[in-house]
Amino acid sequence: MTPLDKVGEFGLIGRIQQTVELKQPSTILGIGDDAAILAPAAGQELVISTDLLTEGVHFDLTFCPLKHLGYKAVAVNVSDIAAMNALPTQIVVAVSIPPRFTVEAVEELFEGVKLACEAYNVDLVGGDTTGSRAGLTISVTALGQVAAGQAVRRSGAGPNDLLCVTGDLGGAYLGLQVLEREKQVWQADPESQPELGNYPYVLQRQLRPEARMDVIHELRELGVVPTSMIDVSDGLASEVLHLCQASGTGARIFTENLPIANPTLEVANEFNLDPIMCMLNGGEDYELLFTVPLADHAKLKNHPDITIIGHMVDKSEGANLITKSGQPVPLKAQGFSHFDHG
Ligand SMILES: [Mg+2]
């Protein structure tokens, strides 16, 4: 194990830089100068998004492997680029590192960053490293490109548009419940072995989420252009309300249509948590929520990874969850906030 002060900031950047591969045609110059140089293709617009993850607020290193953390930090940013209907191209990464970290630990973190770069075909083109007197902080800024005028905003939905979500919901939140329970057990008895092996699905949803770039590509192939889109980072209810607010509509979503995976349902039952609430208010699923014109129904209705959960309505109707008995329940954004949990 190598203490950080042995290699210093420049040594560390040098070690990271050595292993970085550049693949995007728009990357002219990557790490190593005062700034990177990029040349977006003609007719493309740039989209940019940034996220800051702080130890003790967004992640807990007790059970979060550094490699997963690096991967997740990139994936959540790529998810925001996807939610604009853009393709990610470059990232920059800034970390502040507490003295307790070794060079090997930082390299493990960047191993995760690089794995995500490969998975999403983005270039790591710059960043910064500094010391930290508190916890670990990692900030990722992602750049992407989209043909001029083709970006999808939150504001384009109209009444009768179908409301769709990718994948399934609630898993990341239940993964967090498992991790927090095991941490408490471990704190009470440091000799105990955490029981994590029984929960692979929800733990993966929490620790190593994926951005749904696959769906962005599929929608393009199907010739479907969403009228509005957002990624599900804070819980479905809050994201539906964001779309409604930006688009000036109401929405109706149906309890029976909400997608949940079997392993997620099993963990919800084990924890005595209402699976519907986990889907509506649990955060960090990083699925895409989008609206499409009613005319696209046939193109999406049999898609294995897209669920039509409801539709937009006139603003005057508000945003409601329709229960099995047909009862409307107003949606509330009571979701998941890192400030509450921190
Ligand atoms: Mg977002």
Side-chain angles (χ1 to χ4, degrees), residues 30 33 42 44 82 105 125 130 141 147 157 177 196 219 226 276 304 307 309 313:
D33 211 308
Q44 297 283 306
V125 295
T130 70
T141 299
Q177 304 313 305
L196 300 175
L219 289 176
I276 303 288
T307 308
I309 58 170
V313 294

Side-chain angles (χ1 to χ4, degrees), residues 241-254:
L241 289 169
H242 281 307
L243 291 186
C244 287
Q245 196 177 20
S247 295
T249 64
R252 223 183 260 167
I253 65 174
F254 298 87

Side-chain angles (χ1 to χ4, degrees), residues 25-41:
S26 56
T27 306
I28 308 297
L29 184 70
I31 301 173
D33 211 308
D34 297 296
I37 307 174
L38 310 177

Side-chain angles (χ1 to χ4, degrees), residues 77-295:
N77 274 273
V78 169
S79 178
D80 278 322
I81 300 293
M84 300 304 291
N85 192 36
L87 304 183
T89 48
Q90 288 89 14
I91 57 163
V92 294
V93 177
V95 282
S96 64
I97 307 161
R100 68 174 198 271
F101 278 67
T102 61
V103 170
E104 288 77 9
V106 178
E107 283 177 337
E108 201 193 322
L109 179 71
F110 274 90
E111 205 46 54
V113 168
K114 282 184 271 178
L115 274 176
C117 285
E118 275 167 40
Y120 300 114
N121 194 27
V122 298
D123 291 347
L124 173 60
V125 295
D128 196 14
T129 61
T130 70
S132 165
R133 293 197 188 174
L136 177 74
T137 297
I138 175 165
S139 165
V140 176
T141 299
L143 290 118
Q145 294 182 32
V146 58
Q150 296 300 300
V152 174
R153 306 176 189 203
R154 298 178 181 182
S155 54
N160 299 324
D161 281 1
L162 299 171
L163 193 51
C164 308
V165 72
T166 61
D168 53 74
L169 300 169
Y173 175 75
L174 286 158
L176 186 62
Q177 304 313 305
V178 171
L179 289 173
E180 284 181 349
R181 182 183 70 187
E182 293 309 314
K183 186 183 175 185
Q184 278 175 5
V185 172
W186 178 76
Q187 280 172 332
D189 173 16
E191 301 286 287
S192 69
Q193 285 295 314
E195 283 185 38
L196 300 175
N198 293 333
Y199 307 95
Y201 185 73
V202 295
L203 290 176
Q204 187 216 320
R205 296 291 287 165
Q206 168 58 224
L207 295 174
R208 230 196 100 151
E210 295 286 0
R212 298 310 306 260
M213 284 313 305
D214 55 334
V215 174
I216 295 301
H217 291 292
E218 282 171 30
L219 289 176
R220 288 180 180 201
E221 279 161 28
L222 289 167
V224 173
V225 182
T227 49
S228 70
M229 185 152 55
I230 190 170
D231 64 327
V232 183
S233 52
D234 296 332
L236 182 69
S238 136
E239 314 301 1
V240 170
L241 289 169
H242 281 307
L243 291 186
C244 287
Q245 196 177 20
S247 295
T249 64
R252 223 183 260 167
I253 65 174
F254 298 87
T255 314
E256 286 161 278
N257 296 2
L258 299 182
I260 190 162
N262 279 333
T264 304
L265 194 57
E266 282 165 20
V267 182
N269 291 337
E270 184 185 331
F271 279 75
N272 271 320
L273 290 167
D274 177 5
I276 303 288
M277 294 313 281
C278 294
M279 288 189 277
L280 289 176
N281 300 324
E284 298 194 290
D285 287 314
Y286 297 103
E287 297 294 341
L288 292 171
L289 175 72
F290 58 94
T291 54
V292 298
L294 191 56

